[in-house]
mmCIF file of all heavy atoms in Angstrom:
data_model
loop_
_atom_site.group_PDB
_atom_site.id
_atom_site.type_symbol
_atom_site.label_atom_id
_atom_site.label_comp_id
_atom_site.label_asym_id
_atom_site.label_seq_id
_atom_site.Cartn_x
_atom_site.Cartn_y
_atom_site.Cartn_z
ATOM 1 N N THR A 76 -6.003 10.710 -16.116
ATOM 2 C CA THR A 76 -7.095 11.136 -17.029
ATOM 3 C C THR A 76 -7.533 12.618 -16.733
ATOM 4 O O THR A 76 -8.275 13.179 -17.577
ATOM 5 C CB THR A 76 -8.337 10.270 -16.867
ATOM 6 O OG1 THR A 76 -8.847 10.350 -15.528
ATOM 7 C CG2 THR A 76 -8.023 8.813 -17.113
ATOM 8 N N LEU A 77 -7.118 13.201 -15.637
ATOM 9 C CA LEU A 77 -7.702 14.492 -15.207
ATOM 10 C C LEU A 77 -7.023 15.685 -15.754
ATOM 11 O O LEU A 77 -7.670 16.655 -16.216
ATOM 12 C CB LEU A 77 -7.748 14.570 -13.655
ATOM 13 C CG LEU A 77 -8.520 13.401 -12.986
ATOM 14 C CD1 LEU A 77 -8.504 13.611 -11.507
ATOM 15 C CD2 LEU A 77 -9.969 13.414 -13.463
ATOM 16 N N PRO A 78 -5.685 15.767 -15.849
ATOM 17 C CA PRO A 78 -5.059 17.144 -16.167
ATOM 18 C C PRO A 78 -4.862 17.459 -17.631
ATOM 19 O O PRO A 78 -4.591 18.556 -18.008
ATOM 20 C CB PRO A 78 -3.605 17.016 -15.464
ATOM 21 C CG PRO A 78 -3.332 15.531 -15.545
ATOM 22 C CD PRO A 78 -4.638 14.838 -15.409
ATOM 23 N N PHE A 79 -5.067 16.426 -18.556
ATOM 24 C CA PHE A 79 -4.842 16.648 -19.950
ATOM 25 C C PHE A 79 -6.108 16.710 -20.799
ATOM 26 O O PHE A 79 -7.207 16.346 -20.346
ATOM 27 C CB PHE A 79 -3.957 15.503 -20.439
ATOM 28 C CG PHE A 79 -2.690 15.202 -19.657
ATOM 29 C CD1 PHE A 79 -2.567 14.126 -18.895
ATOM 30 C CD2 PHE A 79 -1.672 16.191 -19.718
ATOM 31 C CE1 PHE A 79 -1.406 13.921 -18.132
ATOM 32 C CE2 PHE A 79 -0.499 15.973 -19.042
ATOM 33 C CZ PHE A 79 -0.384 14.863 -18.168
ATOM 34 N N PRO A 80 -6.038 17.284 -22.007
ATOM 35 C CA PRO A 80 -7.206 17.265 -22.905
ATOM 36 C C PRO A 80 -7.655 15.858 -23.132
ATOM 37 O O PRO A 80 -6.882 14.953 -23.294
ATOM 38 C CB PRO A 80 -6.647 17.936 -24.179
ATOM 39 C CG PRO A 80 -5.514 18.770 -23.681
ATOM 40 C CD PRO A 80 -4.870 17.953 -22.617
ATOM 41 N N PHE A 81 -9.000 15.752 -23.190
ATOM 42 C CA PHE A 81 -9.675 14.403 -23.499
ATOM 43 C C PHE A 81 -9.983 14.359 -24.919
ATOM 44 O O PHE A 81 -9.674 13.397 -25.681
ATOM 45 C CB PHE A 81 -10.866 14.251 -22.626
ATOM 46 C CG PHE A 81 -11.509 12.972 -22.612
ATOM 47 C CD1 PHE A 81 -10.865 11.852 -22.095
ATOM 48 C CD2 PHE A 81 -12.763 12.754 -23.195
ATOM 49 C CE1 PHE A 81 -11.391 10.551 -22.044
ATOM 50 C CE2 PHE A 81 -13.377 11.444 -23.239
ATOM 51 C CZ PHE A 81 -12.713 10.404 -22.673
ATOM 52 N N LEU A 82 -10.752 15.303 -25.407
ATOM 53 C CA LEU A 82 -11.204 15.307 -26.868
ATOM 54 C C LEU A 82 -11.218 16.750 -27.352
ATOM 55 O O LEU A 82 -11.324 17.685 -26.554
ATOM 56 C CB LEU A 82 -12.581 14.798 -27.064
ATOM 57 C CG LEU A 82 -12.919 13.256 -26.773
ATOM 58 C CD1 LEU A 82 -14.371 12.975 -26.863
ATOM 59 C CD2 LEU A 82 -12.079 12.363 -27.693
ATOM 60 N N SER A 83 -11.020 16.991 -28.650
ATOM 61 C CA SER A 83 -11.170 18.254 -29.242
ATOM 62 C C SER A 83 -11.778 18.072 -30.661
ATOM 63 O O SER A 83 -11.577 16.979 -31.266
ATOM 64 C CB SER A 83 -9.869 18.949 -29.280
ATOM 65 O OG SER A 83 -8.904 18.266 -30.099
ATOM 66 N N PHE A 84 -12.411 19.196 -31.107
ATOM 67 C CA PHE A 84 -12.989 19.057 -32.455
ATOM 68 C C PHE A 84 -12.906 20.495 -33.075
ATOM 69 O O PHE A 84 -12.804 21.514 -32.420
ATOM 70 C CB PHE A 84 -14.484 18.550 -32.393
ATOM 71 C CG PHE A 84 -15.466 19.665 -32.175
ATOM 72 C CD1 PHE A 84 -16.215 20.140 -33.208
ATOM 73 C CD2 PHE A 84 -15.658 20.179 -30.841
ATOM 74 C CE1 PHE A 84 -17.138 21.186 -32.918
ATOM 75 C CE2 PHE A 84 -16.606 21.130 -30.642
ATOM 76 C CZ PHE A 84 -17.348 21.652 -31.670
ATOM 77 N N SER A 85 -13.051 20.460 -34.404
ATOM 78 C CA SER A 85 -13.044 21.811 -35.165
ATOM 79 C C SER A 85 -14.022 21.666 -36.267
ATOM 80 O O SER A 85 -14.124 20.555 -36.937
ATOM 81 C CB SER A 85 -11.657 22.116 -35.689
ATOM 82 O OG SER A 85 -11.149 21.098 -36.555
ATOM 83 N N ALA A 86 -14.790 22.636 -36.491
ATOM 84 C CA ALA A 86 -15.799 22.713 -37.569
ATOM 85 C C ALA A 86 -16.106 24.074 -38.007
ATOM 86 O O ALA A 86 -16.234 24.955 -37.093
ATOM 87 C CB ALA A 86 -17.133 22.003 -37.062
ATOM 88 N N ARG A 87 -16.111 24.328 -39.218
ATOM 89 C CA ARG A 87 -16.411 25.686 -39.836
ATOM 90 C C ARG A 87 -15.500 26.747 -39.246
ATOM 91 O O ARG A 87 -15.981 27.852 -38.868
ATOM 92 C CB ARG A 87 -17.882 26.043 -39.624
ATOM 93 C CG ARG A 87 -18.787 25.023 -40.429
ATOM 94 C CD ARG A 87 -20.294 25.410 -40.212
ATOM 95 N NE ARG A 87 -21.077 24.582 -41.076
ATOM 96 C CZ ARG A 87 -21.547 24.912 -42.270
ATOM 97 N NH1 ARG A 87 -21.146 26.052 -42.847
ATOM 98 N NH2 ARG A 87 -22.260 24.118 -43.010
ATOM 99 N N GLY A 88 -14.244 26.406 -39.131
ATOM 100 C CA GLY A 88 -13.322 27.464 -38.597
ATOM 101 C C GLY A 88 -13.346 27.641 -37.072
ATOM 102 O O GLY A 88 -12.536 28.451 -36.573
ATOM 103 N N GLN A 89 -14.142 26.993 -36.316
ATOM 104 C CA GLN A 89 -14.108 27.054 -34.884
ATOM 105 C C GLN A 89 -13.743 25.781 -34.279
ATOM 106 O O GLN A 89 -13.943 24.620 -34.875
ATOM 107 C CB GLN A 89 -15.584 27.426 -34.386
ATOM 108 C CG GLN A 89 -16.092 28.752 -34.933
ATOM 109 C CD GLN A 89 -17.322 29.216 -34.184
ATOM 110 O OE1 GLN A 89 -17.296 29.448 -32.941
ATOM 111 N NE2 GLN A 89 -18.437 29.279 -34.897
ATOM 112 N N SER A 90 -13.113 25.867 -33.152
ATOM 113 C CA SER A 90 -12.634 24.645 -32.472
ATOM 114 C C SER A 90 -12.913 24.676 -31.010
ATOM 115 O O SER A 90 -13.091 25.789 -30.437
ATOM 116 C CB SER A 90 -11.096 24.444 -32.781
ATOM 117 O OG SER A 90 -10.400 25.531 -32.181
ATOM 118 N N GLN A 91 -12.924 23.534 -30.391
ATOM 119 C CA GLN A 91 -13.134 23.395 -28.931
ATOM 120 C C GLN A 91 -12.469 22.144 -28.424
ATOM 121 O O GLN A 91 -12.436 21.174 -29.044
ATOM 122 C CB GLN A 91 -14.575 23.493 -28.574
ATOM 123 C CG GLN A 91 -14.874 23.571 -27.098
ATOM 124 C CD GLN A 91 -16.339 23.958 -26.782
ATOM 125 O OE1 GLN A 91 -17.084 24.449 -27.653
ATOM 126 N NE2 GLN A 91 -16.857 23.572 -25.604
ATOM 127 N N GLN A 92 -11.966 22.238 -27.206
ATOM 128 C CA GLN A 92 -11.484 20.972 -26.592
ATOM 129 C C GLN A 92 -12.024 20.854 -25.146
ATOM 130 O O GLN A 92 -12.489 21.828 -24.555
ATOM 131 C CB GLN A 92 -9.964 20.974 -26.506
ATOM 132 C CG GLN A 92 -9.326 21.915 -25.564
ATOM 133 C CD GLN A 92 -7.803 21.742 -25.463
ATOM 134 O OE1 GLN A 92 -7.176 21.241 -26.463
ATOM 135 N NE2 GLN A 92 -7.211 22.069 -24.368
ATOM 136 N N MET A 93 -12.024 19.665 -24.606
ATOM 137 C CA MET A 93 -12.523 19.417 -23.325
ATOM 138 C C MET A 93 -11.652 18.472 -22.614
ATOM 139 O O MET A 93 -11.012 17.611 -23.216
ATOM 140 C CB MET A 93 -13.931 18.799 -23.392
ATOM 141 C CG MET A 93 -14.035 17.493 -24.058
ATOM 142 S SD MET A 93 -15.539 16.519 -23.723
ATOM 143 C CE MET A 93 -15.152 15.962 -22.100
ATOM 144 N N ASP A 94 -11.550 18.576 -21.285
ATOM 145 C CA ASP A 94 -10.989 17.530 -20.416
ATOM 146 C C ASP A 94 -12.128 17.089 -19.534
ATOM 147 O O ASP A 94 -13.235 17.695 -19.581
ATOM 148 C CB ASP A 94 -9.809 18.073 -19.562
ATOM 149 C CG ASP A 94 -10.085 19.243 -18.800
ATOM 150 O OD1 ASP A 94 -11.137 19.196 -18.004
ATOM 151 O OD2 ASP A 94 -9.429 20.244 -18.824
ATOM 152 N N LEU A 95 -11.917 16.064 -18.782
ATOM 153 C CA LEU A 95 -13.023 15.452 -18.043
ATOM 154 C C LEU A 95 -13.481 16.319 -16.968
ATOM 155 O O LEU A 95 -14.752 16.383 -16.735
ATOM 156 C CB LEU A 95 -12.602 14.099 -17.525
ATOM 157 C CG LEU A 95 -12.271 12.989 -18.552
ATOM 158 C CD1 LEU A 95 -11.859 11.730 -17.894
ATOM 159 C CD2 LEU A 95 -13.501 12.719 -19.474
ATOM 160 N N ILE A 96 -12.691 17.060 -16.297
ATOM 161 C CA ILE A 96 -13.182 18.025 -15.272
ATOM 162 C C ILE A 96 -13.871 19.236 -15.860
ATOM 163 O O ILE A 96 -14.995 19.591 -15.443
ATOM 164 C CB ILE A 96 -11.950 18.470 -14.398
ATOM 165 C CG1 ILE A 96 -11.249 17.331 -13.634
ATOM 166 C CG2 ILE A 96 -12.468 19.585 -13.425
ATOM 167 C CD1 ILE A 96 -12.154 16.628 -12.738
ATOM 168 N N GLN A 97 -13.317 19.702 -16.944
ATOM 169 C CA GLN A 97 -13.996 20.771 -17.678
ATOM 170 C C GLN A 97 -15.425 20.360 -18.170
ATOM 171 O O GLN A 97 -16.386 21.112 -18.260
ATOM 172 C CB GLN A 97 -13.156 21.241 -18.835
ATOM 173 C CG GLN A 97 -13.771 22.310 -19.668
ATOM 174 C CD GLN A 97 -13.024 22.607 -20.985
ATOM 175 O OE1 GLN A 97 -11.890 22.207 -21.100
ATOM 176 N NE2 GLN A 97 -13.675 23.287 -21.951
ATOM 177 N N GLY A 98 -15.519 19.035 -18.623
ATOM 178 C CA GLY A 98 -16.776 18.507 -19.048
ATOM 179 C C GLY A 98 -17.827 18.630 -18.026
ATOM 180 O O GLY A 98 -19.012 18.951 -18.201
ATOM 181 N N LEU A 99 -17.438 18.303 -16.718
ATOM 182 C CA LEU A 99 -18.383 18.374 -15.633
ATOM 183 C C LEU A 99 -18.784 19.835 -15.377
ATOM 184 O O LEU A 99 -19.953 20.103 -15.140
ATOM 185 C CB LEU A 99 -17.707 17.819 -14.322
ATOM 186 C CG LEU A 99 -17.467 16.317 -14.256
ATOM 187 C CD1 LEU A 99 -16.701 15.920 -13.042
ATOM 188 C CD2 LEU A 99 -18.716 15.496 -14.449
ATOM 189 N N HIS A 100 -17.778 20.745 -15.483
ATOM 190 C CA HIS A 100 -18.137 22.181 -15.292
ATOM 191 C C HIS A 100 -19.133 22.678 -16.426
ATOM 192 O O HIS A 100 -19.964 23.465 -16.100
ATOM 193 C CB HIS A 100 -16.827 23.012 -15.330
ATOM 194 C CG HIS A 100 -16.062 22.816 -14.119
ATOM 195 N ND1 HIS A 100 -14.709 23.144 -14.067
ATOM 196 C CD2 HIS A 100 -16.357 22.369 -12.866
ATOM 197 C CE1 HIS A 100 -14.188 22.887 -12.888
ATOM 198 N NE2 HIS A 100 -15.069 22.346 -12.136
ATOM 199 N N THR A 101 -18.966 22.242 -17.624
ATOM 200 C CA THR A 101 -19.734 22.622 -18.739
ATOM 201 C C THR A 101 -21.170 22.179 -18.434
ATOM 202 O O THR A 101 -22.126 22.930 -18.637
ATOM 203 C CB THR A 101 -19.330 21.978 -20.019
ATOM 204 O OG1 THR A 101 -17.925 22.441 -20.300
ATOM 205 C CG2 THR A 101 -20.221 22.375 -21.184
#
Side-chain angles (χ1 to χ4, degrees):
T76 64
L77 302 179
F79 306 110
F81 188 69
L82 295 174
S83 61
F84 85 103
S85 59
R87 295 181 175 268
Q89 298 191 64
S90 63
Q91 187 169 338
Q92 72 174 24
M93 61 162 284
D94 57 52
L95 292 178
I96 298 299
Q97 178 190 343
L99 293 175
H100 289 160
T101 300

